Amino acid sequence: MTVLADRHTVPSPASGLVCRSCGAEFPLGAQHACLECWGPLEIGYDAAALARVTHDEIAAGPQSIWRYAGLLPVGQNAATRVDSNTGMTPLIRADRLADELGFTAPVYIKDDSANPTHSFKDRVVSVAMTAARELGFRRIACASTGNLANSVAAHAARIGMPSIVFVPSDLEQAKITQTAVYGGTLVAIEGNYDDVNRLCSELGETDEFEDTGFVNVNVRPYYAEGSKTLGFEVAEQLGWRLPGQYVAPMASGSMLTKINKAFKELVAAGLVPSSSWTVFGAQSAGCSPIATAFDAGVSEVTPVRPTGIAKSLNIGNPADGPYALDAVRSSGGAMASVTDDEIREGIRLLARTTGVFAETAGGVTVAVLRKLVEQGRIDTSVETVVYNTGDGLKTIDAVAGTPTATINPTLKGMRDAGLL
C-alpha cells in the first residue's frame, strides 16, 4: 500500500480510511478494501478540521469544486490539483416542471451536463486523479459505462498522463467517440459493466499495472468523495441551507450516498443550519437491483444482468447498494424504477419545461420523480432538488426526433404546412 506523501501547504482534513462495514481504520493510501472484513473503505475526516472551514474561505476560492478543498481529502495545494474547472454548474429553478407535476414548493435541477466533459464524472475524476498523482501512480485507468471513460481520458490528456480505459463493447457511439478523441488507450470488452469492472480489479493486482491508478478501484475512496461537491454546491447555491429533499439516479449508488454524506458534514461543520432532508433514488427497470431490494424490504442487493437504454446506470452488482438503501430508508424516502418508454418521456418532459436536454440517466431521474408524485410517495409541498448527471447529446439515439415540417422556402410552403 502506498501512503500519501506529506503535503507542503494546509494539511488535508482527511484523517484516514475507514471501513464502512466494521469501522476498522487504516492510513491514507491506495487501498479500497478493508483488511479485516473486506468491506469497502471511505475517507474519514478530522471533525475539528472541517469545522475550521468558513463561508468566506469557500467564497474566496476558485469557481470550481476546489473552492471546497478544505472539505476534501486532497487538493489543498493548488499546484498539485488535476483541475479542469469542474463544478459550480447551474442550479436551475424549474417552475414549469413543478407546475406540471403538481408541486407547490420550488423544484430545482442541478444540471451537471455543464461540466467540461458534460457529466458529473468530472468531479470524481478531478479528485481521484489528484490523489493518484500524490500516491505516485504514473498511469490512470478506469472501468466505465461511458461518462467516466470520457472524463478520465480528457483529464489525462490535459496533464499528459497515459490513460487506459475499459468499457462495454455495446456502449453508445457518442461516448466511444468522445473517449477516443483524447488519444488514450480505449479497450472495449465483450460483456457488461460488471465484466469490465471484474477485469479491472484483476488487472490492478498484476505487476504490469502496479504503476496504474484505477480511479474507481484502488483509488476509489478518493474518487467517491468528489460526488460530495454536488451536495456542497447545492447548499451554497441555496444560500447555505439544505433542500428538504433530493432525487438522484443510482448506478453503483455511490453518488446518492455521497450527497447525503456532504449534507451531514456541512451540518456537523456548522456551515448550514441543522435540518432534516429526505433522499429518493431512481433506477431504470432494465437494471434496478437497488430499487428492487427497497421494494422487497431487504438489505441485500441481488445482482442482475443489465438491459435497457440507460446504459450509464447499468451496473448490475452495485457496490454501494446497501448504503444507498440505508440512506433512503433512514431519511424516510423511497426508490422507484422506470421503463425505457418512461425514460424517453422523462427526457422530453425535462427538455420542454426547462430547456435542459438530459442523457438517459437524467430521463430516469425525472421519470421517477413523476412516478413518485403519482404514487403519493414524495411530498410536493417540500423544496426539491433533482440531479441531472449528463448531457443528452451523449445518448441522442434514445430520443431521435424529426422536423415539425419540411417545406419549400416560400410563404405558400408555410401556409401549406399549416404554419401560417
Side-chain angles (χ1 to χ4, degrees):
M1 179 182 71
T2 306
V3 177
L4 282 171
D6 290 339
R7 299 176 179 83
H8 302 293
T9 56
V10 177
S12 166
S15 57
L17 299 173
V18 181
C19 179
R20 299 171 79 180
S21 295
C22 73
E25 298 183 10
F26 304 90
L28 292 168
Q31 181 182 352
H32 67 287
C34 176
L35 301 180
E36 302 293 332
C37 73
W38 299 109
L41 299 179
E42 70 175 356
I43 304 293
Y45 290 91
D46 177 349
L50 295 181
R52 286 194 289 271
V53 177
T54 67
H55 293 153
D56 288 345
E57 176 185 328
I58 292 170
Q63 290 294 308
S64 74
I65 63 168
W66 295 113
R67 66 198 287 106
Y68 308 111
L71 303 171
L72 293 171
V74 292
Q76 288 70 41
N77 181 352
T80 66
R81 295 171 188 161
V82 179
D83 189 2
S84 60
N85 299 311
T86 293
M88 296 310 290
T89 55
L91 183 67
I92 300 166
R93 180 157 170 156
D95 289 343
R96 293 189 62 233
L97 176 64
D99 290 345
E100 184 151 337
L101 296 182
F103 277 82
T104 57
V107 174
Y108 294 91
I109 304 298
K110 181 59 172 168
D111 184 20
D112 251 29
S113 68
N115 277 319
T117 69
H118 308 290
S119 88
F120 89 101
K121 291 296 187 180
D122 289 332
R123 299 175 182 274
V124 294
V125 170
S126 290
V127 175
M129 286 187 63
T130 298
R133 287 212 297 186
E134 290 194 28
L135 288 161
F137 290 114
R138 295 189 292 274
R139 180 172 64 170
I140 202 73
C142 72
S144 175
T145 58
N147 286 327
L148 181 58
N150 298 163
S151 187
V152 166
H155 280 78
R158 180 178 286 254
I159 64 171
M161 178 182 279
S163 68
I164 178 168
V165 301
F166 300 82
V167 300
S169 58
D170 66 347
L171 201 61
E172 298 98 338
Q173 184 58 48
K175 291 177 181 176
I176 292 289
T177 300
Q178 189 183 353
T179 301
V181 74
Y182 298 116
T185 301
L186 171 60
V187 182
I189 304 297
E190 294 179 352
N192 60 32
Y193 171 81
D194 298 295
D195 299 317
V196 177
N197 190 53
R198 183 172 57 254
L199 173 61
C200 288
S201 296
E202 293 170 356
L203 288 171
E205 299 297 324
T206 66
D207 291 342
E208 293 85 348
F209 278 77
E210 184 179 14
D211 67 346
T212 304
F214 284 85
V215 297
N216 52 345
V217 183
N218 51 10
V219 193
R220 185 174 181 84
Y222 307 91
Y223 161 92
E225 292 295 285
S227 289
K228 292 194 310 183
T229 60
L230 283 162
F232 297 156
E233 282 181 21
V234 163
E236 184 177 3
Q237 289 169 324
L238 289 175
W240 289 114
R241 61 180 178 80
L242 302 180
Q245 54 197 16
Y246 69 88
V247 188
M250 297 182 298
S252 71
S254 176
M255 189 187 86
L256 178 145
T257 67
K258 294 307 180 185
I259 295 170
N260 193 49
K261 186 184 183 192
F263 286 178
K264 290 180 178 180
E265 289 176 356
L266 289 173
V267 171
L271 289 167
V272 297
S274 180
S275 65
S276 61
W277 58 89
T278 311
V279 183
F280 295 89
Q283 289 203 293
S284 158
C287 185
S288 59
I290 310 175
T292 298
F294 180 87
D295 288 341
V298 299
S299 297
E300 292 186 3
V301 178
T302 302
V304 300
R305 191 161 190 84
T307 61
I309 63 172
K311 293 181 180 180
S312 63
L313 301 183
N314 279 357
I315 297 181
N317 189 14
D320 284 75
Y323 307 105
L325 287 168
D326 181 66
V328 170
R329 285 174 174 152
S330 63
S331 74
M335 296 182 182
S337 62
V338 286
T339 66
D340 284 356
D341 284 344
E342 289 173 314
I343 294 167
R344 294 184 182 96
E345 283 305 307
I347 294 171
R348 294 187 179 103
L349 172 61
L350 182 65
R352 66 179 171 79
T353 58
T354 67
V356 173
F357 182 20
E359 71 163 342
T360 48
V364 167
T365 311
V366 174
V368 164
L369 174 67
R370 177 159 61 183
K371 178 171 281 191
L372 292 171
V373 171
E374 291 170 348
Q375 294 175 344
R377 300 168 75 189
I378 192 168
D379 190 342
T380 54
S381 68
V382 173
E383 184 178 59
T384 304
V385 172
V386 179
Y387 285 91
N388 173 47
T389 52
D391 194 316
L393 293 176
K394 291 171 176 275
T395 59
I396 197 164
D397 288 348
V399 286
T402 58
T404 302
T406 301
I407 66 169
N408 292 322
T410 63
L411 292 177
K412 181 178 184 300
M414 287 286 290
R415 291 191 181 96
D416 290 346
L419 299 174
L420 278 181

